[in-house]
Amino acid sequence: MRTGEAMDATVTAVSSTAEHVFSKENRVGIRLLAGLGVEGDAHLGETVQHRSRVARDPSQPNLRQVHLIHSELHDELRDAGFTVSAGDMGENITTRGVDLLGLPTGARLRLGDSAVVEVTGLRNPCVQLNGFQSGLMSAVLGRDENGGLIRKAGVMGVVLTGGTVRPGDPIRVELPPLPHRGLEPV
């Protein structure tokens, strides 16, 4: 993928919730705040907000300010018999037409008129997925041809430039300078 590619890439849904619950509510728009995340969301902050990470070290930088999932994953999961839709797996932004999992670390996603999110890494799926629907965690994990683990539950990012993001907004991809680093769990 080259910079600017993904001509038809769009935001299909935006979601947030102020409580630390698994699923997030769909919204007509969310406001991204530079260096913090999604306004009013439980994971907003400069330092880690995920409960397990706060328990380990609350001073860690928050590399998980925004969670993005590709709606193509929802399609795949529905085809496998799961009932999932935007926000159900805790994502803030649901996309279509962008190979989120194929992006390198540091890729920038321009969302709508002004917001910019820098991809920091992969979401590491947790057993809470099985609490939502039995077998869901296994369904968002796979193996490559060498037996390596593939995490399909989306990517995490930080907000570089704030702005409002709405369903239907275009997504433009900017790749970092070479050499690219593949995504690792954050």
Side-chain angles (χ1 to χ4, degrees):
M1 179 183 297
R2 294 182 303 274
T3 299
E5 212 171 288
M7 302 272 283
D8 295 326
T10 59
V11 173
T12 60
V14 293
S15 310
S16 68
T17 188
E19 296 83 34
H20 281 278
V21 293
F22 185 73
S23 297
K24 296 186 184 287
E25 294 178 39
N26 291 159
R27 308 287 182 191
V28 295
I30 57 173
R31 189 164 165 235
L32 302 184
L33 303 175
L36 296 172
V38 179
E39 183 177 56
D41 193 75
H43 297 110
L44 177 81
E46 290 181 13
T47 57
V48 292
Q49 299 298 309
H50 286 76
R51 289 179 176 171
S52 63
R53 293 167 189 266
V54 169
R56 277 185 267 153
D57 179 1
S59 67
Q60 294 176 74
N62 187 4
L63 301 178
R64 301 164 56 102
Q65 294 173 0
V66 181
H67 177 200
L68 300 98
I69 284 185
H70 47 298
S71 60
E72 293 86 352
L73 176 62
H74 293 156
D75 298 343
E76 176 185 326
L77 293 171
R78 281 192 294 274
D79 289 347
F82 293 94
T83 304
V84 292
S85 57
D88 282 351
M89 293 195 299
E91 73 272 18
N92 300 110
I93 299 173
T94 311
T95 68
R96 183 164 295 279
V98 178
D99 179 11
L100 293 176
L101 304 179
L103 293 173
T105 300
R108 293 180 177 184
L109 302 174
R110 294 192 172 274
L111 307 163
D113 293 333
S114 61
V116 180
V117 172
E118 183 173 286
V119 177
T120 55
L122 295 168
R123 176 191 185 185
N124 199 17
C126 69
V127 295
Q128 288 183 22
L129 288 164
N130 287 337
F132 180 69
Q133 286 182 47
S134 181
L136 189 56
M137 183 163 163
S138 293
V140 298
L141 295 171
R143 296 280 173 188
D144 64 20
E145 62 277 355
N146 299 319
L149 188 62
I150 299 172
R151 293 167 178 86
K152 300 186 273 183
V155 299
M156 307 305 284
V158 296
V159 180
L160 297 182
T161 305
T164 300
V165 180
R166 295 178 183 87
D169 279 350
I171 302 170
R172 293 172 311 286
V173 176
E174 293 179 1
L175 298 179
L178 293 170
H180 293 159
R181 285 189 3 247
L183 296 175
E184 296 292 330
V186 292

